[in-house]
Amino acid sequence: MIAEALQQELGGSRRASKTIMAWTGVTDHTARAWLNGRKSPSSAHLLGLAANCPPVMVLLLRLTGHDRISIDIELIELEAELERMLAIVQTIQSERER
């Protein structure tokens, strides 16, 4: 489940493992093992992942019975994505007006 959450956020590229390495201080080998679901992070590393990766945080909240909080996090992420998309649309519109 952790691998799925990490892949949802980062994909499965080499860049994904580098990001995990920066978040947690683990080696590339360990980061790739987590991404591929071959190993699970320790509790300390799991907290580092959750602090930096919203899908991991949402997973942890759901697994511990805090579904309502996980929905709040997803709504915050959705709002940020909608704002980003609106900015893109506004940029395109202003370029067309020129």
Side-chain angles (χ1 to χ4, degrees):
M1 289 186 276
I2 297 296
E4 290 175 15
L6 289 170
Q7 288 177 12
Q8 178 184 344
E9 180 76 6
L10 303 170
S13 69
R14 172 99 171 108
R15 186 172 175 214
S17 65
K18 287 187 176 269
T19 300
I20 292 170
M21 291 167 58
W23 289 345
T24 61
V26 299
T27 65
D28 181 58
H29 177 78
T30 299
R32 282 186 280 131
W34 293 349
L35 277 168
N36 295 318
R38 291 190 314 266
K39 289 186 177 180
S40 297
S42 68
S43 57
H45 288 133
L46 187 57
L47 291 174
L49 292 173
N52 290 286
C53 181
V56 172
M57 178 63 82
V58 168
L59 173 63
L60 291 178
L61 291 169
R62 286 190 174 148
L63 290 172
T64 58
H66 298 285
D67 291 1
R68 187 174 177 137
I69 296 170
S70 69
I71 291 170
D72 290 343
I73 291 171
E74 289 174 328
L75 288 174
I76 290 167
E77 287 183 329
L78 178 59
E79 183 179 15
E81 183 64 18
L82 288 172
E83 287 174 359
R84 188 181 73 78
M85 296 302 292
L86 179 59
I88 291 170
V89 168
Q90 290 171 339
T91 300
I92 292 169
Q93 287 177 335
S94 70
E95 289 175 358
R96 285 185 179 170
E97 292 173 358
R98 290 182 197 173

